[in-house]
Amino acid sequence: MADNSISLPFGETLGKLTGQQKLGLILGLAALVALVVGLWLWGTTPDYRVLYSNLSDRDGGAIVDSLQQMNVPYKFAEGGGALLVPANQVHEIRLHLASQGLPKGGTVGFELMENQKFGTSEFLEQVNYTRALEGELARSVQTISAVQAARVHLALPKPSVFLKDQDMPGASVLLVLYPGRTLDAGQVNAIVHLISSSVPNMPPRNVTVVDQNGNLLSSPPDGSSLALDASQLKYVHQVEQDLDRRVETIVAPLVGEKNVHAQVTAVVDFSQQEQTSESYKPNQPPNQAAVLSQQTSESSSVSASSVGGVPGALTNQPPVPPTAPLTAPGQAVPPVPAGQARPGQPGAAPAGTSGANNAPAATPPIPTSTNSHKETTVNYDVDHTINHTQLPAGILRRISVAVVLNNRTIKDAAGKVSVRPLTEAEKNQITALIKDAVGFDDKRGDTIDLLNSAFDQDRETLPETPWWKQPDNLDMAKDSIKYLVIAGLGLFLILAVIRPALKSLAVAVSMPRSGTGTTGAGGNVASGPGGPGESGVQQGMNIGGGLETQVGQARQLVQQDPRIVASVVKEWVSGNE
């Protein structure tokens, strides 16, 4: 059997359908359009990401108004209170909102000083300044990636004109960290110095940092923390890695690169020490010592002999010069002439005078004495030495080296491979090389432990992540599957729904088959040779022999007996050929 379709205008084709067929066709087309539109919306729906979370009511309202002005779709996450926007616009929207000063985060900064009222008291101005400074510092701390929220409390003392009454300002910082995130010592020190550098005269020791769990993150004010900071730990790790590389580099040419493994533990002293010593040498001879200073003083005085005695006539006279006796001891005293007194006796005239003339003699000179004093002081410099030594931090106190060597692999002349352990001479040679490579020092207490053993060659190694498990490839695969599903559903609709519907529409106006007979040349209905299962219309079409004739016969049959056409369509719907 051959089915030949006919071409008719679309309006005439719809006119040939019954009401039930038209309703089914309309419903099918409506379902098709709805499905295509749904797939298109599903494919073009953007992926929403979190723009901001835990927003205050004021910030949330301002951000929503700004999003509406930008015509950006948004929605709120259920239960989390997060504001969601399309993923491809998150960064652009954040930059646009930041230019508007959003979100403010519930804290006020120096914009609080812009609305000062006339007549504000000095106390209120100081309070507003403190609030503004606290808000600005909190905003700065919140820019750290691990910090979700921050609050800063400042204790600013009042200035005093007395130096002894001046107090240093202090600050307390409360941090709310994101779940699963922590701050290392370097980040905490950065926050401490950020706060202390922003407030005048605030030392870093007066800044206290606490997290939301009540853990003290900053060092105690008294500096009693003995833990190493991040830079010191990094230095120790670098020293150990450098020594490991030295050991493996010097031993690998002897035993093979994969046959040696070394681990070095270094004890580093980061304490800072200062020493000052002063030493004096024995005294030097004066002619060899350096003269530090010399001082000479000289004085002289002249004094006359003083006249003493009982005041009177005799004491006012000059003393009589002494005269030697005229006779030697043991000799007779010569007689004195009459009228003269013996020299030296009362009434005797002075020598050189006559008795007749008693005029006074010349006054002898008064005796004088001269006193001289000279004093010299010489200071010699003392030979002494002052030595000030400051020991650097990071001194290597002790190292411990552990080395594991694999057994040596030997291949004989026949090509047979055998494994043997290292000899004692080889071990001693390798140990000596390691000592020279790491700077071994017995006085420091350094130790080296060398072990020779067979390596486990069947150790499991972690496999590399396959390409189909990498995050970038997974995202690309998800997008590809999404578009493939859309294309598959569209193709299914075209092949399973649209094509059969169009085919049924074309067949509905084609030559129907009926089991009751067909019209012959005279227009009478006759039974076909195929019996009741074969359509008489087909016989008429075969008789006509041409497309024009078949179309005319089909139209005539439909006009004469529509029930035949209905039965044929019913058989087609039920699947009977």
PDB file of all heavy atoms in Angstrom, residues 272-277 386-392:
ATOM      1  N   GLN A 272      67.769  38.079  72.821  1.00  0.00           N
ATOM      2  CA  GLN A 272      68.699  39.181  72.579  1.00  0.00           C
ATOM      3  C   GLN A 272      69.457  39.485  73.859  1.00  0.00           C
ATOM      4  O   GLN A 272      68.854  39.664  74.918  1.00  0.00           O
ATOM      5  CB  GLN A 272      67.952  40.424  72.099  1.00  0.00           C
ATOM      6  CG  GLN A 272      67.245  40.227  70.762  1.00  0.00           C
ATOM      7  CD  GLN A 272      66.543  41.473  70.303  1.00  0.00           C
ATOM      8  OE1 GLN A 272      66.498  42.471  71.019  1.00  0.00           O
ATOM      9  NE2 GLN A 272      65.978  41.441  69.109  1.00  0.00           N
ATOM     10  N   GLN A 273      70.769  39.542  73.753  1.00  0.00           N
ATOM     11  CA  GLN A 273      71.625  39.763  74.916  1.00  0.00           C
ATOM     12  C   GLN A 273      72.596  40.894  74.620  1.00  0.00           C
ATOM     13  O   GLN A 273      73.081  41.043  73.494  1.00  0.00           O
ATOM     14  CB  GLN A 273      72.418  38.487  75.264  1.00  0.00           C
ATOM     15  CG  GLN A 273      71.530  37.297  75.611  1.00  0.00           C
ATOM     16  CD  GLN A 273      72.350  36.056  75.920  1.00  0.00           C
ATOM     17  OE1 GLN A 273      73.588  36.099  75.911  1.00  0.00           O
ATOM     18  NE2 GLN A 273      71.676  34.953  76.187  1.00  0.00           N
ATOM     19  N   GLU A 274      72.882  41.672  75.666  1.00  0.00           N
ATOM     20  CA  GLU A 274      73.861  42.748  75.601  1.00  0.00           C
ATOM     21  C   GLU A 274      74.813  42.617  76.786  1.00  0.00           C
ATOM     22  O   GLU A 274      74.370  42.394  77.919  1.00  0.00           O
ATOM     23  CB  GLU A 274      73.182  44.123  75.612  1.00  0.00           C
ATOM     24  CG  GLU A 274      72.338  44.407  74.383  1.00  0.00           C
ATOM     25  CD  GLU A 274      71.770  45.811  74.384  1.00  0.00           C
ATOM     26  OE1 GLU A 274      72.126  46.563  75.313  1.00  0.00           O
ATOM     27  OE2 GLU A 274      71.003  46.144  73.476  1.00  0.00           O
ATOM     28  N   GLN A 275      76.098  42.755  76.519  1.00  0.00           N
ATOM     29  CA  GLN A 275      77.113  42.638  77.552  1.00  0.00           C
ATOM     30  C   GLN A 275      78.035  43.848  77.486  1.00  0.00           C
ATOM     31  O   GLN A 275      78.431  44.285  76.398  1.00  0.00           O
ATOM     32  CB  GLN A 275      77.943  41.359  77.364  1.00  0.00           C
ATOM     33  CG  GLN A 275      77.131  40.074  77.500  1.00  0.00           C
ATOM     34  CD  GLN A 275      77.976  38.841  77.255  1.00  0.00           C
ATOM     35  OE1 GLN A 275      79.141  38.953  76.888  1.00  0.00           O
ATOM     36  NE2 GLN A 275      77.388  37.683  77.456  1.00  0.00           N
ATOM     37  N   THR A 276      78.378  44.396  78.675  1.00  0.00           N
ATOM     38  CA  THR A 276      79.308  45.521  78.784  1.00  0.00           C
ATOM     39  C   THR A 276      80.362  45.185  79.836  1.00  0.00           C
ATOM     40  O   THR A 276      80.004  44.866  80.988  1.00  0.00           O
ATOM     41  CB  THR A 276      78.578  46.815  79.171  1.00  0.00           C
ATOM     42  OG1 THR A 276      77.566  47.086  78.194  1.00  0.00           O
ATOM     43  CG2 THR A 276      79.544  47.983  79.238  1.00  0.00           C
ATOM     44  N   SER A 277      81.636  45.216  79.455  1.00  0.00           N
ATOM     45  CA  SER A 277      82.733  44.896  80.384  1.00  0.00           C
ATOM     46  C   SER A 277      83.764  46.028  80.339  1.00  0.00           C
ATOM     47  O   SER A 277      84.017  46.622  79.286  1.00  0.00           O
ATOM     48  CB  SER A 277      83.397  43.571  79.994  1.00  0.00           C
ATOM     49  OG  SER A 277      83.931  43.645  78.684  1.00  0.00           O
ATOM     50  N   ILE A 386      86.774  49.488  77.687  1.00  0.00           N
ATOM     51  CA  ILE A 386      85.335  49.256  77.832  1.00  0.00           C
ATOM     52  C   ILE A 386      84.862  48.485  76.598  1.00  0.00           C
ATOM     53  O   ILE A 386      85.047  48.954  75.460  1.00  0.00           O
ATOM     54  CB  ILE A 386      84.563  50.577  77.965  1.00  0.00           C
ATOM     55  CG1 ILE A 386      85.019  51.343  79.216  1.00  0.00           C
ATOM     56  CG2 ILE A 386      83.061  50.309  78.019  1.00  0.00           C
ATOM     57  CD1 ILE A 386      84.359  52.693  79.367  1.00  0.00           C
ATOM     58  N   ASN A 387      84.281  47.327  76.793  1.00  0.00           N
ATOM     59  CA  ASN A 387      83.825  46.460  75.699  1.00  0.00           C
ATOM     60  C   ASN A 387      82.316  46.274  75.814  1.00  0.00           C
ATOM     61  O   ASN A 387      81.827  45.779  76.824  1.00  0.00           O
ATOM     62  CB  ASN A 387      84.543  45.107  75.765  1.00  0.00           C
ATOM     63  CG  ASN A 387      84.197  44.219  74.575  1.00  0.00           C
ATOM     64  OD1 ASN A 387      83.690  44.707  73.567  1.00  0.00           O
ATOM     65  ND2 ASN A 387      84.485  42.931  74.701  1.00  0.00           N
ATOM     66  N   HIS A 388      81.576  46.700  74.777  1.00  0.00           N
ATOM     67  CA  HIS A 388      80.116  46.550  74.729  1.00  0.00           C
ATOM     68  C   HIS A 388      79.776  45.570  73.598  1.00  0.00           C
ATOM     69  O   HIS A 388      80.086  45.827  72.429  1.00  0.00           O
ATOM     70  CB  HIS A 388      79.426  47.892  74.480  1.00  0.00           C
ATOM     71  CG  HIS A 388      77.926  47.796  74.431  1.00  0.00           C
ATOM     72  ND1 HIS A 388      77.148  47.654  75.552  1.00  0.00           N
ATOM     73  CD2 HIS A 388      77.069  47.819  73.373  1.00  0.00           C
ATOM     74  CE1 HIS A 388      75.884  47.594  75.203  1.00  0.00           C
ATOM     75  NE2 HIS A 388      75.808  47.683  73.885  1.00  0.00           N
ATOM     76  N   THR A 389      79.157  44.473  73.942  1.00  0.00           N
ATOM     77  CA  THR A 389      78.831  43.414  72.975  1.00  0.00           C
ATOM     78  C   THR A 389      77.329  43.190  72.961  1.00  0.00           C
ATOM     79  O   THR A 389      76.723  43.014  74.026  1.00  0.00           O
ATOM     80  CB  THR A 389      79.549  42.109  73.336  1.00  0.00           C
ATOM     81  OG1 THR A 389      80.958  42.354  73.422  1.00  0.00           O
ATOM     82  CG2 THR A 389      79.279  41.040  72.289  1.00  0.00           C
ATOM     83  N   GLN A 390      76.739  43.195  71.760  1.00  0.00           N
ATOM     84  CA  GLN A 390      75.318  42.901  71.574  1.00  0.00           C
ATOM     85  C   GLN A 390      75.205  41.651  70.704  1.00  0.00           C
ATOM     86  O   GLN A 390      75.546  41.669  69.521  1.00  0.00           O
ATOM     87  CB  GLN A 390      74.587  44.073  70.923  1.00  0.00           C
ATOM     88  CG  GLN A 390      73.085  43.830  70.778  1.00  0.00           C
ATOM     89  CD  GLN A 390      72.371  45.046  70.223  1.00  0.00           C
ATOM     90  OE1 GLN A 390      73.009  46.044  69.884  1.00  0.00           O
ATOM     91  NE2 GLN A 390      71.067  44.964  70.127  1.00  0.00           N
ATOM     92  N   LEU A 391      74.728  40.563  71.309  1.00  0.00           N
ATOM     93  CA  LEU A 391      74.633  39.299  70.591  1.00  0.00           C
ATOM     94  C   LEU A 391      73.413  39.313  69.682  1.00  0.00           C
ATOM     95  O   LEU A 391      72.321  39.723  70.095  1.00  0.00           O
ATOM     96  CB  LEU A 391      74.535  38.132  71.578  1.00  0.00           C
ATOM     97  CG  LEU A 391      75.725  37.975  72.543  1.00  0.00           C
ATOM     98  CD1 LEU A 391      75.494  36.806  73.476  1.00  0.00           C
ATOM     99  CD2 LEU A 391      77.017  37.782  71.764  1.00  0.00           C
ATOM    100  N   PRO A 392      73.549  38.892  68.427  1.00  0.00           N
ATOM    101  CA  PRO A 392      72.402  38.912  67.505  1.00  0.00           C
ATOM    102  C   PRO A 392      71.398  37.817  67.846  1.00  0.00           C
ATOM    103  O   PRO A 392      71.730  36.790  68.454  1.00  0.00           O
ATOM    104  CB  PRO A 392      73.048  38.676  66.138  1.00  0.00           C
ATOM    105  CG  PRO A 392      74.291  37.901  66.448  1.00  0.00           C
ATOM    106  CD  PRO A 392      74.774  38.398  67.782  1.00  0.00           C
TER     107      PRO A 392
END
